[in-house]
Amino acid sequence: MDATKNIYPVFDKMADRSAYEALLGQRGVMLWFTGLSGSGKTTLALALECELLQRGRLCRLLDGDNIRTGLNSNLGFSAEDRRENIRRIAEVGKLFVDTGIITIAAFISPTQAMRAMAEEIIGGEHFKEVYISTPLEVCEARDVKGLYARARRGEIPNFTGISAPFEAPLHPALSLDTSRLDFSTCLQRLLDLACPPTAGPESNNKDA
């Protein structure tokens, strides 16, 4: 039985996006951080969240800590579960973005297909892919959680960058290599992307 047959949408009766954005004085957008473990995704995402709040911008950070310990606590790390993990994150992110909230998602999301799915759910106009392009050797040298060492010993199967592939974004809205760019430069470029000047085009700063 198709459960959706018993659902009667009332989207046309709900307040629309423009009403929320007018109330908040900002535009909803999704900044989707992707990159290897240890690349700097979470560090930059946390700093961006803090800076946006200090500037009076309503924002919400989604990452593994607050997603996999709650909403997605029933999912593992198989290919199917990882895809479902991203699908659920995108659906939740869409609700935030449609409410005018600047939303930050920090997930490895290693394949083009996963990120394309997220973009399709959220809507391309409001989806900004941010590639934290720090090279594998730098990420592995940092190994802040000891994960790479465990993966090299075969203790963590299907570890992205070691025993599982990572597909780099082809056309990210922003690319940041934290081994080449200083922290303040990275943060400023993220702020420009999250809150572009209202009178001008959105920032297209990129660092290939």
Side-chain angles (χ1 to χ4, degrees), residues 20-207:
Y20 290 111
E21 292 183 334
L23 175 66
L24 296 172
Q26 64 183 45
R27 295 182 60 189
V29 65
M30 167 62 80
L31 271 63
W32 190 280
F33 286 46
T34 182
L36 295 169
S37 177
S39 60
K41 296 186 302 301
T42 298
T43 300
L44 285 171
L46 287 167
L48 177 60
E49 178 190 44
C50 183
E51 186 64 29
L52 286 170
L53 289 173
Q54 289 180 359
R55 296 183 181 206
R57 303 284 186 169
L58 182 60
C59 60
R60 180 72 243 188
L61 171 60
L62 304 174
D63 73 354
D65 287 341
N66 61 17
I67 292 294
R68 281 196 174 270
T69 58
L71 176 67
N72 291 348
S73 61
N74 65 321
L75 298 178
F77 291 91
S78 67
E80 182 179 351
D81 278 4
R82 293 184 80 167
R83 183 185 184 283
E84 176 62 11
N85 181 54
I86 296 301
R87 188 194 69 80
R88 293 184 193 178
I89 293 162
E91 292 287 2
V92 170
K94 176 178 173 60
L95 295 175
F96 283 128
V97 171
D98 284 349
T99 313
I101 297 171
I102 298 170
T103 310
I104 308 160
F107 298 90
I108 293 175
S109 43
T111 69
Q112 300 281 3
M114 282 184 182
R115 299 189 298 269
M117 175 183 61
E119 181 175 5
E120 182 177 2
I121 290 170
I122 294 163
E125 180 184 355
H126 313 297
F127 183 91
K128 307 296 182 184
E129 189 176 46
V130 178
Y131 178 29
I132 310 303
S133 59
T134 310
L136 172 62
E137 58 270 21
V138 176
C139 297
E140 190 168 2
R142 293 172 179 171
D143 205 11
V144 292
K145 299 178 180 179
L147 299 177
Y148 283 99
R150 292 180 60 199
R152 291 290 186 187
R153 293 194 299 266
E155 297 174 6
I156 305 177
N158 301 316
F159 188 82
T160 304
I162 302 299
S163 53
F166 176 83
E167 298 174 3
L170 299 176
H171 305 289
L174 185 64
S175 181
L176 300 170
D177 179 348
T178 62
S179 70
R180 295 176 51 201
L181 297 171
D182 62 70
F183 187 82
S184 61
T185 297
C186 291
L187 182 56
Q188 185 57 57
R189 293 187 183 183
L190 287 167
L191 286 166
D192 291 343
L193 188 64
C195 305
T198 56
E202 295 189 5
S203 173
N204 286 318
N205 284 329
K206 295 188 178 182
D207 179 72

